Amino acid sequence: RASAPASAPDPEPQQVLAPLSAAAVFLVVTVEQAGEQAVRDLLGDLPGLVRAFGFSAPDAALSCVTGVGSDAWDRLFDAPRPAELHPFRPVDGPRHHAPATPGDVLFHVRAARSDLCFALAAEIMRRLRGAVALQDEVQGFKYLDVRDLLGFVDGTENPVGGEARDAVLIGAEDPEHAGGSYVLVQKYLHDLDAWNTLPVEAQERIIGRTKATNVELDAPGSHVDLNTVVGADGEERQILRDNMPFGSPGRGEFGTYYIAYSRTPEVTELMLRRMFVGVPPTGHDRILDFSTAVTGTLFYVPPAGFLDDLPPLPAAAGRVPAPAGPGPQPQLPDLPDGPRGED
Ligand code: HEM
């Protein structure tokens, strides 16, 4: 008997599953009018650029994950929309607010060396000059033994291996985008002076883990408790976080760049509601009393092969709109008598 045709291999994802790195650059840009073609050219060249900058330093594992925002999708690609791509939905809690901020394309550049991240980010922005407006740029770094600037080890409970793939990669629920992912970013600024007035035990109850030894606590209403969510099937619903500290001591800026990959944005959005709106009886996440969200954007991360073979540009994109009607023609000033031009 003829054997059944082999099923198509799963599309290779971009490097969303790369481990936490020592350095990262986060670039969020919006596409200017008629900038679409330049952005598409860059997207197509990105895999080659990552190879060019990363090849001679394989141990540094340079990678770049590219995400596309909801409004930009229709401007850049004549292709079916990812089922759950929508603009970031702001969250309003009784005390704290998660704003939505503009973003058409995200570049999440990672490596063990900050110079490689810098070089790739510089080349990306050079190629996009004039075609995009920069909305946000953050240079993240690994801090001590993988701690955030609140002083706690961040990333411990991230899923790994098959669990991570299940949590992060779109599957049969949206076959045209299988191997893709969603990524939600938020930039948080910490009030470290206020945070550091708290006794360590109070900080630990807010986070839900011990500070020195990173052991989970039984702390209802803690950050960890609010972000532990289970589905209708009783299974924990997970996301993959690649948070990085950033800051400028001279300017008194201390932050966490929050970045979460997920198979559906629904899980991260549920976590945000639990943090900002709160859950009775404990209320909102007290981490927010010391951390302000200043950006918020959602992107779709296509599989790697998408960048090598982009769908066509939509017919209407990339054109500067014609001026409305034949208005008065500008009058050229009369040239004074005398030599004109170079004759
Ligand atoms: C856990 C820090 C924002 C989701 C943690 C942990 C720390 C932390 C220290 C415990 C260790 C770990 O498992 O990683 C922060 C900081 C934030 C922030 C400093 C920004 C101010 C967020 C946001 C979300 C989130 C906005 C979701 C929308 C989670 C999840 C866990 C976690 C899912 C793991 C919970 C578990 O133990 O299963 N975070 N976080 N975090 N955080 Fe955050």
Side-chain angles (χ1 to χ4, degrees), residues 148 153-157 188 223-224 227 236 241 258 275:
D148 54 42
V153 176
D154 191 355
T156 312
E157 290 299 334
Y188 283 90
H223 180 67
V224 164
N227 283 300
E236 189 171 342
R241 295 164 290 126
Y258 173 78
M275 285 176 63

Side-chain angles (χ1 to χ4, degrees), residues 237-278:
R237 305 198 71 189
Q238 295 192 298
I239 60 175
L240 186 67
R241 295 164 290 126
D242 291 309
N243 297 0
M244 291 295 260
F246 68 90
S248 163
R251 287 198 294 274
E253 181 186 85
F254 299 94
T256 295
Y257 199 86
Y258 173 78
I259 173 162
Y261 291 95
S262 58
R263 180 173 184 160
T264 156
E266 195 183 281
V267 181
T268 320
E269 288 166 352
L270 171 62
M271 291 172 176
L272 281 179
R273 278 199 304 281
R274 289 171 61 91
M275 285 176 63
F276 282 79
V277 179

Side-chain angles (χ1 to χ4, degrees), residues 173-194:
E173 69 276 20
D174 185 5
E176 275 167 313
H177 299 96
S181 188
Y182 294 91
V183 64
L184 190 151
V185 298
Q186 285 183 300
K187 178 159 129 177
Y188 283 90
L189 296 177
H190 303 302
D191 181 349
L192 276 200
D193 288 341

Side-chain angles (χ1 to χ4, degrees), residues 23 40 70 72-73 148 163 200 258 274 287 326:
R40 287 170 52 94
S70 179
W73 181 269
D148 54 42
E163 261 195 9
V200 168
Y258 173 78
R274 289 171 61 91
I287 216 175

Side-chain angles (χ1 to χ4, degrees), residues 86-174:
H86 53 254
F88 179 89
R89 295 172 180 149
V91 187
D92 269 313
R95 292 268 291 279
H96 301 293
H97 175 62
T101 52
D104 286 337
V105 185
L106 165 77
F107 300 102
H108 178 197
V109 179
R110 280 184 271 189
R113 281 172 39 187
S114 58
D115 61 335
L116 294 177
C117 294
F118 186 92
L120 180 58
E123 181 62 13
I124 290 172
M125 291 312 292
R126 191 186 70 76
R127 291 188 181 221
L128 292 179
R129 200 172 299 147
V132 301
L134 180 71
Q135 297 297 331
D136 195 23
E137 173 179 19
V138 168
Q139 321 246 349
F141 54 86
K142 178 177 167 188
Y143 181 59
L144 306 178
D145 44 344
V146 200
R147 288 176 190 266
D148 54 42
L149 296 181
L150 301 177
F152 283 76
V153 176
D154 191 355
T156 312
E157 290 299 334
N158 262 336
V160 293
E163 261 195 9
R165 275 193 295 281
D166 270 0
V168 159
L169 300 180
I170 297 168
E173 69 276 20
D174 185 5

